[in-house]
Amino acid sequence: MSLGLYVHIPFCRSKCYYCDFCSMPDLSRRVDYLDALEKEVQLHAARYGRLMPETIFIGGGTPTLLEDQDWHRLSRLFERFFDLSSLSEWSVEGNPESVNLALSKTLKSIGVNRFSMGVQSMDFSLLRAIGRIHSPEEVTTAFNALRQTGFDNINLDLMTGLPGQTLSAIDETLSWLKQFDPEHVSAYGLKIEEGTPFDRMERQGLLKLPEETLEREMDHRIREVLRERGYQHYEISNYAKPGRACRHNLNYWNCGSYAAIGLSAHGYLNGVRYENTSDLNRYIHDLSHETLPVISEEAISPQEDEKEWIMLRLRLSEGIPYSQYQARYGKSFLNEKKTAIEKLKGTGWIDLQKEHLRLTEAGLDFANAVIVEFFE
Amino acid sequence: MSKHLNRQDKIRNFSIIAHIDHGKSTLADRLIQTTGLLTQREMKDQILDTMDLERERGITIKLQTTRLVYKAKDGEEYILNLIDTPGHVDFTYEVSRSLAACEGAVLVVDASQGVEAQTLANVHLADMQGLEIVPVLNKIDLPSARPDEIKHEIEEVIGILAEDAPLISAKDGLNIEDVLEAVVHKVPAPNGDEEGPLKALIFDSYYDSYRGAVAIVRIKEGQVKKGTKIMMMAAKKVFEVVEVGIFIPSAAPVEVLKAGDVGYITASIKNVIDCRVGDTITEAERPAPEPLPGYKKAQPMVYCGIYPAEGESYDVIRDALEKLQLNDAALTFEPETSVALGFGFRCGFLGLLHLEIIQQRLEREFDLDLIATSPSVIYRITKTDGEVVMVQNPTNLPDRQSILTMEEPIVDAHIFCPTEYVGNIMELCQNRRGVMLSMDYLDAKRVRLHYELPLNEVIYDFFDALKSKTRGYGSLDYEFKEYRESDLVKLDVLLNKDLIDAFSMIVHSSKAVSRGRVICEKLKEVIPRHQFAVPIQASIGSNIIARETISALRKDVLAKCYGGDISRKKKLLEKQKEGKKKMRQLGSVEVPQQAFLEVLKYDDSK
């Protein structure tokens, strides 16, 4: 079974209006945080042993706000406490305004081989409307720096359904994308999360979001264009050139194990899902007292695992291979889910094949409705 | 004779009456505690309201009664029978019966809020029974208390002396003894003839699975003990008494109950219907020449369908209804079938609150998932062939060609409210097709309005509208008056072109369009979007009078789901699944149970 390692860097220069991830604009805590993180890695290793991750993902926040020496420190830390002999993918996430040639070289030198950049849109006013601080030009500069350093596995994040966004704005971003020609694209529909500035604006009636029909058109446009360009639409929101699917994320969608380090990170080891605190002071305090900053642990029962597996597998274009279900749960998917399948047949959302069941093109927009039918 | 009078001299039978929230139940608890019946540890808040539901809603539905023994300051020991009363217009009859079992009533008035509408309505009922009213000012501990003004108000508005009314805080247990003293000194002792033929007023009854129906009685005259052959004067049934007893507050057998006493009688009565509130128990061999006045048979006024929700069983609901009926002679039910909802029951209730209470008891005490259809009154239909049919289910309305006349029940309604709300009330009643008969100013601040209202206007949300239009100060009392010819139509609702019989209702033709519109709007709000557009239509016959459309759902998908999202997103989807389970498939459309409640709401602003 494969294992991933997720490391969270919770700093951002400023907070985007839609973001409910754990991040803060106060960079002064950077060193304290990394000290604590180092401690966490040690305690984690003491508890779980010298794990052998096949993938690493450093996400945030904006990890590219870390400095040169921080990256070297992280690299040494991982080498000391993990067995990296099977590591095949090491991704770092970052934002255009903090990516430059020097950083790119540093990342390359420590072994990072995949970069994921939050572009969202190539329309300046849209970027401002959602609280992003970068400009389209900075995207170009950053992208070129990465390429120049030799990064040949780059993901760009896009967003649809933004306030004021139009189909032509999507087209424009897509034509920029054609020039960049990244190996991977993630396209997310905006979701208003509780407690974000957008949430407050929406309650006050100040947020004018595109109609659902238009938002779907945007999503479908991206789907169509990227497929034409040779990308595989391998997960609901993810597209990759052949062989470039994100292995770290595939591991999540296969219900694989993953270790988690850092503020608010979630891990899943030995059948137990655990969650770190999102409170930076508590995180630092716990670790300075030699305690892992875990706030909850949940053993995932076979029943729960099955729900998760179905929920996640259905997001993949591969869908649910019956043989895998059989191997995992020792029962026949078609027998087990007969009623649900019968109910879904008329919807046009499922593609029922001999070897597997997956979402149809139309079903991609109604994944939740399909998933809940399979929940007991 | 004098010996008997001496015995009754030491008895006081009284109720506590109050506006809602003025502290009736808290005071009852304190009286029980002060007279030493229960220790502090045994006290649950508000002992007398035994049902959770009652405690939660702060109203008493079923009566409880208890006997207190109080050693007064004059050195004598008195027996005080405290008879609790239900607090709602649906149960006015029950209130009047329990007041009829008393000689006096403690009137609790909130020392900061003063006399309110329900205070007046209750005083009115107590007055009609000729009770001595003992005013008490409660919540004297609050900084906003203004006892002198309120005393004055009681004297002005109600017209009773309040100068030496006890000033108490039931919550803090302050001056509770003053209340007991006032009861002893002001409430007259009973003086019934202990040797005459038995006359016992049933003011409550309940069903005990071992003893059968238990009659809770006030002995007005004569006496009763084990072995007495008794006769229910209205039910005309004879039984032999198995046990008599008193409530202290749990049931405790005694040898005999005599004139002036309050207690219970069991007589292997299999059915509560034979033990109706208001009936008079007498001796079979030496019957009283006439029963006590005021008996009325409980008559359902409002009907609705009760159906099992998705996954609930019909049989379980029937069992539950049977159990409730054992305790509640006013509840009726019979099986019926709906195209939309399948097998269920047509149930009859005293009023809308009674309906709600039964529904909630089914849900809570029996843990059932139910769907209740629109309530309906009973219409009298005269067909062209001369046949007269009573219809309480809109689905059973004969087709229009065969109807000669339709009549609907009209009630006599009395509304009490502060003068500033008269305009609002008049507007409300006019909207509800009311006809004003009179308006009396009780004083400078309070008015009593007398209206004729069609009952089918009262059962839709009238109480809520009255409360909101009078900031909670308005109170309503009504009773059936007569059937009257009316221009009525059957209003149907169609979802995605399918007629949903469970939503059908009979309305006045002048109201049909606005009602149809409101229902379509409400349904649009509560029915979730489907993969297809769902037209919602209201119609009279084939004539569509209102329409809304729920646009098709375009998207039901999570944008992202990574390692940190899995638990949360799974829970989100589980919730979605739960919500879906609660949906009811009506034709091609999934409808949440809440929709059935929403269509009942009248929006008086429209």
Side-chain angles (χ1 to χ4, degrees):
Chain A
M1 194 126 163
S2 61
L3 175 78
L5 167 63
Y6 178 80
V7 179
H8 192 75
I9 305 295
F11 302 108
C12 276
R13 206 157 271 157
S14 79
K15 189 108 182 162
C16 304
Y17 303 154
Y18 53 82
C19 176
D20 73 332
F21 284 113
C22 175
S23 70
M24 57 207 70
D26 181 10
L27 270 161
S28 66
R29 311 290 301 272
R30 198 186 95 246
V31 175
D32 289 346
Y33 180 71
L34 290 175
D35 288 347
L37 191 139
E38 181 161 343
K39 187 82 216 171
E40 190 189 0
V41 172
Q42 287 175 26
L43 293 175
H44 197 275
R47 176 162 179 186
Y48 294 101
R50 191 173 162 83
L51 297 174
M52 190 164 75
E54 288 165 34
T55 61
I56 299 177
F57 196 104
I58 301 189
T62 310
T64 43
L65 289 177
L66 293 186
E67 298 187 0
D68 222 41
Q69 68 269 24
D70 302 335
W71 289 108
H72 290 294
R73 184 179 179 183
L74 284 178
S75 166
R76 283 193 303 271
L77 186 64
F78 295 162
E79 267 167 29
R80 209 175 126 201
F81 290 98
F82 293 100
D83 175 351
L84 300 181
S85 60
S86 297
L87 189 67
S88 65
E89 182 189 277
W90 182 352
S91 300
V92 167
E93 193 174 46
N95 286 327
E97 72 280 0
S98 52
V99 175
N100 54 42
L101 203 55
L103 173 95
S104 184
K105 280 181 178 159
T106 303
L107 295 180
K108 191 79 194 163
S109 73
I110 61 169
V112 174
N113 60 7
R114 184 174 183 275
F115 195 87
S116 176
M117 184 151 66
V119 173
Q120 321 315 0
S121 168
M122 287 300 276
D123 182 304
F124 186 83
S125 55
L126 270 179
L127 289 171
R128 288 299 171 272
I130 61 175
R132 300 290 295 189
I133 54 171
H134 70 264
S135 65
E137 292 72 32
E138 283 171 317
V139 175
T140 310
T141 314
F143 192 85
N144 290 342
L146 289 166
R147 279 288 194 244
Q148 202 181 325
T149 325
F151 275 95
D152 61 355
N153 196 1
I154 301 176
N155 167 60
L156 300 183
D157 279 349
L158 303 182
M159 290 184 83
T160 59
L162 302 175
Q165 197 172 27
T166 59
L167 265 186
S168 60
I170 293 286
D171 287 337
E172 200 198 332
T173 299
L174 282 170
S175 68
W176 273 99
L177 229 60
K178 188 170 186 181
Q179 295 180 34
F180 294 142
D181 199 27
E183 286 66 38
H184 193 284
V185 177
S186 300
Y188 304 117
L190 172 69
K191 172 148 193 302
I192 306 301
E193 302 286 354
E194 223 173 289
T196 58
F198 269 1
D199 181 34
R200 288 189 287 281
M201 284 167 74
E202 193 180 38
R203 283 164 205 262
Q204 290 163 16
L206 300 173
L207 199 60
K208 196 155 168 29
L209 296 172
E211 293 286 325
E212 215 171 66
T213 316
L214 177 58
E215 191 273 337
R216 281 296 92 184
E217 276 178 53
M218 294 178 190
D219 188 75
H220 296 169
R221 178 69 58 88
I222 291 172
R223 207 187 279 177
E224 191 184 318
V225 170
L226 291 183
R227 276 185 189 154
E228 270 170 26
R229 292 182 191 165
Y231 290 86
Q232 289 165 344
H233 185 196
Y234 73 103
E235 196 260 0
I236 285 181
S237 307
N238 285 282
Y239 303 83
K241 294 276 183 70
R244 295 299 194 169
C246 177
R247 294 181 192 188
H248 184 82
N249 290 339
L250 276 175
N251 181 52
Y252 292 138
W253 299 322
N254 282 315
C255 282
S257 299
Y258 44 99
I261 299 292
L263 195 64
S264 83
H266 291 63
Y268 186 31
L269 289 174
N270 308 326
V272 176
R273 182 158 296 120
Y274 60 96
E275 180 184 355
N276 279 352
T277 177
S278 302
D279 175 345
L280 182 61
N281 291 327
R282 174 165 174 195
Y283 179 78
I284 290 172
H285 175 269
D286 281 4
L287 286 161
S288 69
H289 290 77
E290 305 285 320
T291 309
L292 282 169
V294 173
I295 51 165
S296 74
E297 286 186 306
E298 181 197 5
I300 304 299
S301 66
Q303 291 84 346
E304 292 301 302
D305 179 78
E306 185 183 329
K307 277 190 203 168
E308 293 179 5
W309 191 75
I310 290 173
M311 167 177 94
L312 296 165
R313 284 300 307 197
L314 275 174
R315 297 182 65 86
L316 293 172
S317 61
E318 278 183 10
I320 293 173
Y322 310 140
S323 58
Q324 278 194 34
Y325 181 88
Q326 178 82 43
R328 214 178 156 93
Y329 304 106
K331 47 193 183 183
S332 148
F333 184 79
L334 293 177
N335 271 341
E336 201 65 20
K337 305 294 176 189
K338 202 180 268 167
T339 333
I341 292 171
E342 278 311 310
K343 231 174 141 182
L344 287 165
K345 266 184 182 166
T347 59
W349 293 339
I350 55 165
D351 177 18
L352 192 63
Q353 296 288 340
K354 240 178 140 171
E355 304 293 326
H356 64 247
L357 177 149
R358 58 184 192 178
L359 295 176
T360 58
E361 198 65 9
L364 289 173
D365 292 338
F366 296 97
N368 291 350
V370 176
I371 292 164
V372 299
E373 280 306 330
F374 288 121
F375 277 13
E376 287 313 316
Chain B
M1 194 74 177
S2 66
K3 194 176 157 231
H4 298 150
L5 281 178
N6 197 33
R7 190 189 74 89
Q8 290 184 48
D9 261 354
K10 299 291 182 295
I11 299 176
R12 299 290 182 272
N13 295 315
F14 73 107
S15 282
I16 306 176
I17 56 178
H19 187 75
I20 194 155
D21 287 340
H22 280 198
K24 185 177 86 169
S25 299
T26 319
L27 175 58
D29 291 349
R30 284 291 167 242
L31 295 180
I32 294 170
Q33 203 183 356
T34 307
T35 51
L37 213 50
L38 297 170
T39 64
Q40 182 87 30
R41 206 158 41 80
E42 290 168 315
M43 286 289 289
K44 252 194 280 165
D45 275 344
Q46 301 185 2
I47 300 276
L48 296 183
D49 291 350
T50 47
M51 284 190 280
D52 284 350
L53 191 62
E54 294 183 340
R55 207 164 296 148
E56 208 168 287
R57 297 179 67 135
I59 51 170
T60 310
I61 302 155
K62 284 304 273 187
L63 309 166
Q64 297 289 316
T65 185
T66 195
R67 172 186 159 117
L68 315 172
V69 179
Y70 174 61
K71 185 147 191 187
K73 289 183 179 154
D74 63 11
E76 298 281 341
E77 214 167 63
Y78 290 86
I79 290 163
L80 311 181
N81 290 309
L82 166 57
I83 293 163
D84 204 11
T85 58
H88 193 276
V89 52
D90 278 6
F91 305 102
T92 299
Y93 174 64
E94 280 76 0
V95 177
S96 77
R97 290 309 86 206
S98 37
L99 293 178
C102 304
E103 277 79 34
V106 170
L107 172 69
V108 182
V109 179
D110 184 313
S112 34
Q113 297 184 18
V115 176
E116 292 189 7
Q118 225 181 321
T119 319
L120 284 175
N122 282 320
V123 166
H124 178 66
L125 283 174
D127 254 351
M128 293 207 303
Q129 299 300 331
L131 302 193
E132 181 66 33
I133 294 169
V134 181
V136 166
L137 271 61
N138 192 21
K139 305 195 189 180
I140 205 78
D141 55 310
L142 295 182
S144 54
R146 37 191 183 102
D148 290 338
E149 278 173 65
I150 303 299
K151 276 183 186 174
H152 186 68
E153 189 175 286
I154 292 173
E155 295 185 347
E156 284 274 292
V157 176
I158 303 177
I160 55 171
L161 286 176
E163 190 41 51
D164 48 2
L167 306 179
I168 67 161
S169 164
K171 188 168 69 86
D172 295 346
L174 184 71
N175 298 337
I176 301 303
E177 233 167 281
D178 293 355
V179 180
L180 293 163
E181 287 293 320
V183 168
V184 165
H185 294 297
K186 291 192 170 167
V187 174
N191 63 352
D193 177 2
E194 292 184 5
E195 307 303 334
L198 174 67
K199 271 190 185 180
L201 171 69
I202 305 177
F203 63 89
D204 191 16
S205 68
Y206 67 90
Y207 191 82
D208 181 296
S209 30
Y210 300 106
R211 300 192 279 186
V214 178
I216 302 179
V217 296
R218 157 68 197 275
I219 312 293
K220 291 282 192 178
E221 283 172 27
Q223 42 190 287
V224 59
K225 56 187 168 192
K226 181 176 175 179
T228 308
K229 284 223 164 43
I230 53 168
M231 181 171 74
M232 307 298 187
M233 295 186 81
K236 302 206 171 16
K237 292 268 174 77
V238 175
F239 300 95
E240 187 179 317
V241 173
V242 175
E243 183 180 302
V244 298
I246 55 174
F247 295 99
I248 53 170
S250 50
V254 295
E255 198 192 326
V256 60
L257 291 176
K258 293 183 178 176
D261 285 339
V262 170
Y264 66 88
I265 298 174
T266 70
S268 298
I269 305 167
K270 298 233 161 35
N271 207 325
V272 272
I273 297 207
D274 295 328
C275 190
R276 291 209 186 248
V277 170
D279 201 350
T280 303
I281 300 179
T282 189
E283 286 157 73
E285 277 145 29
R286 188 175 61 139
E290 76 254 1
L292 295 163
Y295 173 72
K296 277 197 293 189
K297 197 173 152 198
Q299 197 65 263
M301 298 263 265
V302 177
Y303 284 81
C304 85
I306 286 187
Y307 288 84
E310 207 64 42
E312 198 60 82
S313 134
Y314 171 86
D315 291 330
V316 175
I317 292 183
R318 188 188 49 216
D319 290 349
L321 282 168
E322 278 170 0
K323 287 204 180 98
L324 285 182
Q325 199 180 38
L326 286 175
N327 255 332
D328 186 344
L331 170 69
T332 66
F333 66 92
E334 56 184 48
E336 73 166 3
T337 324
S338 146
V339 179
L341 300 175
F343 293 103
F345 299 93
R346 196 74 188 164
C347 301
F349 308 93
L350 292 172
L352 206 57
L353 181 82
H354 189 210
L355 180 157
E356 273 178 39
I357 284 164
I358 294 292
Q359 205 179 322
Q360 290 187 15
R361 290 187 65 187
L362 286 169
E363 283 168 356
R364 297 209 194 157
E365 290 169 31
F366 297 90
D367 197 23
L368 298 174
D369 241 349
L370 307 169
I371 290 176
T373 64
S374 304
S376 170
V377 301
I378 310 168
Y379 298 94
R380 185 156 71 192
I381 315 292
T382 306
K383 300 191 356 185
T384 44
D385 62 7
E387 190 193 349
V388 174
V389 286
M390 304 302 278
V391 172
Q392 30 88 346
N393 182 347
T395 315
N396 300 338
L397 193 69
D399 66 67
R400 269 201 282 184
Q401 286 72 34
S402 63
I403 295 175
L404 183 67
T405 57
M406 288 175 81
E407 290 166 287
E408 64 176 331
I410 302 291
V411 296
D412 243 335
H414 292 279
I415 299 167
F416 290 81
C417 75
T419 47
E420 64 254 51
Y421 303 115
V422 164
N424 291 352
I425 302 280
M426 288 169 73
E427 193 189 341
L428 172 66
C429 290
Q430 190 154 353
N431 282 340
R432 301 299 183 98
R433 299 190 284 128
V435 176
M436 190 165 83
L437 299 180
S438 67
M439 177 160 80
D440 303 312
Y441 280 83
L442 300 170
D443 61 85
K445 288 195 212 138
R446 267 147 241 277
V447 179
R448 179 173 56 201
L449 294 140
H450 181 190
Y451 267 92
E452 278 179 359
L453 280 162
L455 183 60
N456 86 348
E457 299 283 346
V458 179
I459 61 172
Y460 290 114
D461 224 18
F462 189 86
F463 293 114
D464 289 344
L466 178 68
K467 291 284 174 222
S468 75
K469 283 175 185 292
T470 60
R471 294 170 159 237
Y473 290 128
S475 74
L476 168 79
D477 185 7
Y478 65 80
E479 58 182 357
F480 173 76
K481 186 172 194 177
E482 62 183 15
Y483 271 93
R484 197 174 287 171
E485 192 172 342
S486 182
D487 183 11
L488 299 164
V489 292
K490 177 164 161 257
L491 178 65
D492 292 318
V493 175
L494 294 86
L495 291 181
N496 202 21
K497 315 271 181 191
D498 294 324
L499 192 153
I500 308 300
D501 60 358
F503 287 134
S504 295
M505 57 180 75
I506 293 171
V507 297
H508 192 259
S509 67
S510 68
K511 297 308 220 30
V513 173
S514 60
R515 200 90 185 88
R517 203 174 292 143
V518 171
I519 290 171
C520 290
E521 283 166 10
K522 297 256 184 191
L523 287 177
K524 186 181 178 180
E525 278 170 32
V526 297
I527 296 176
R529 291 189 299 163
H530 287 59
Q531 302 99 272
F532 46 87
V534 178
I536 305 169
Q537 295 160 306
S539 74
I540 297 172
S542 57
N543 193 6
I544 304 292
I545 55 168
R547 181 194 167 105
E548 292 283 340
T549 303
I550 302 172
S551 64
L553 178 69
R554 310 309 294 263
K555 171 188 177 187
D556 182 11
V557 58
L558 300 168
K560 47 173 98 175
C561 200
Y562 297 116
D565 303 317
I566 296 171
S567 292
R568 193 161 60 97
K569 301 273 156 100
K570 180 180 63 183
K571 288 192 179 104
L572 210 70
L573 291 175
E574 278 167 348
K575 225 170 131 190
Q576 182 169 339
K577 174 91 185 176
E578 278 309 302
K580 218 172 142 61
K581 270 192 197 156
K582 294 207 174 111
M583 296 283 173
R584 186 84 196 197
Q585 187 87 30
L586 299 183
S588 53
V589 180
E590 284 184 334
V591 179
Q593 254 141 266
Q594 184 201 355
F596 292 89
L597 281 176
E598 286 299 320
V599 298
L600 310 186
K601 292 191 184 145
Y602 216 111
D603 191 342
D604 280 285
S605 60
K606 302 233 161 105

